[in-house]
Amino acid sequence: MSRTPDFVKYAASIVPSERQLRWQETEFYAFIHFGINTFTNSEWGNGNEDPELFNPEKLDCRQWAKVCQLAGMKGLILTCKHHDGFCLWPSAYTEHSVRSSKWKDGKGDVVAECAKACAEFGLKFGVYLSPWDRHEPTYGSGEAYNKFFKNQLRELLTAYGDLFCVWFDGACGEGPNGKVQEYDWEGYYKLIRELQPDAAISISGPDVRWCGNEAGVCRKSEWSVVPYWHSNQELIASASQKDVTKPPRKINPTALDLGSRKAIKKCNKLIWYPAEVDVSIRKGWFYHPEEDYSVKPLSKLMDIYYNSVGANASFLLNIPPTPEGKIHEKDLETLLSMGAQLEIDFNENLADDSVMTDSQHLDSKHTGQAALSHEPDTYWHSGEDPDGAELVLDLGDEYDIDKIVLGEHIKTGQQVEKFSLYAKINGKWKKLASETTIGYKRICRFSEIRVRYFKLVIEKARCFATIAKFEAY
Ligand code: FUL
């Protein structure tokens, strides 16, 4: 029996907040980049755009929400204000908004229409509000701008129902007068906690970590327990996009390992900070007609899905509506086929009504069988000395299978560091996968096999191991 080092015990004791758990369950959700840039065919506006230009004559937020729902998404985050400062809602604190536009004679509110459509189609709703504001004259002045920003934030936090997420990016450039603003992050967070306590504050925030690139890849071992300094604002800002033409495409190689024993050993403060993969369905974040024929194909999106949702991260997929105010048919086609593909891929969990035995368990409530339950708090628990613990799944008959979905009971922490998955073929155990982390979800994919028995071996875990999800497709 090896003694678990104290720093490993500490890491194993870090658990998610209730709001982080709810966020994690959202798994796959949409980013909608829509605003004045949609009408100027640009990615970053400079703040001098004429609000009159904003006129989405056929705006159809119901179409957005419906398409997202059919694509298999569970939420939607709208860019209520991007770096150009133009507000998609009639903010009382600036004239630079839909109120000064042609659209609906200045009487429209895109945020309201979008929130309503999300509610209708069962999607959670979230807001993106850029702290960097290239229009607002008080930007760069310190307190005055922070007050202005909090006022706008308050409008969004109070008028549009429950929010599942407030998304802040790390971009912090110069304002209209050449000054850079010092953001009152703590003040912004306090306001969000007060008015929307269930909303996760993402990226430049304490609840959700940016995976580190905009290319749709996360780490092979994505830990949700990482050193505290990864939530440091300056660090996030320095890794963020600095120039409109140069989005951060790759994970910084020095940041490939955030959570292994080696990475956390010397750190005296750890936090639960799970990863989100954000990527656009097109090259740009906003709509550009010249990109109509370079919408990412289904195969690419499915790969990103499996490498994010299937690797302990969430998947935030950006879809940019056209100046008409609708999702373009090219994006629509891919999104609908993605929804259909996900339905096919996860059509029937063949592990339902099966038998799961274990080599060890904590007590009679936490046996292998409990891993098959759909109750979130019914799970297998190895008890002490988890290394080498095994679970064997008997499907009762042979089935054609090419995916096993695993999940830890993350409410009790992220524990598994290394595992292998086997299938019994002609009486012998054949290794199908060997990975490190599981976390909230790990999807193991392999070539289809006809099989009745699977075996999961926990090769290494921190203080104990849990499995709350074990599905076969
Ligand atoms: C970045 C922004 O600069 C991009 O325009 C986009 O909104 C992306 C999601 O975040 O920081």
Side-chain angles (χ1 to χ4, degrees), residues 31 33 37 43-44 79 82-83 128 130 132 167-171 203 210 214 240-244 247-248 278-279 285-286 316 318:
F31 218 169
H33 273 67
N37 293 338
E43 276 291 294
W44 282 5
T79 54
H82 204 252
H83 311 328
Y128 165 112
S130 169
W132 182 24
W167 210 99
F168 291 139
D169 67 35
I203 314 311
W210 181 44
E214 290 172 355
S240 296
Q241 187 166 1
K242 295 263 172 356
D243 171 342
V244 69
D278 63 330
V279 67
W285 292 99
F286 284 90
L316 173 59
N318 180 63

Side-chain angles (χ1 to χ4, degrees), residues 304-319:
I304 300 176
Y305 179 90
Y306 278 110
N307 292 327
S308 53
V309 176
N312 195 35
S314 68
F315 182 11
L316 173 59
L317 176 61
N318 180 63
I319 311 157

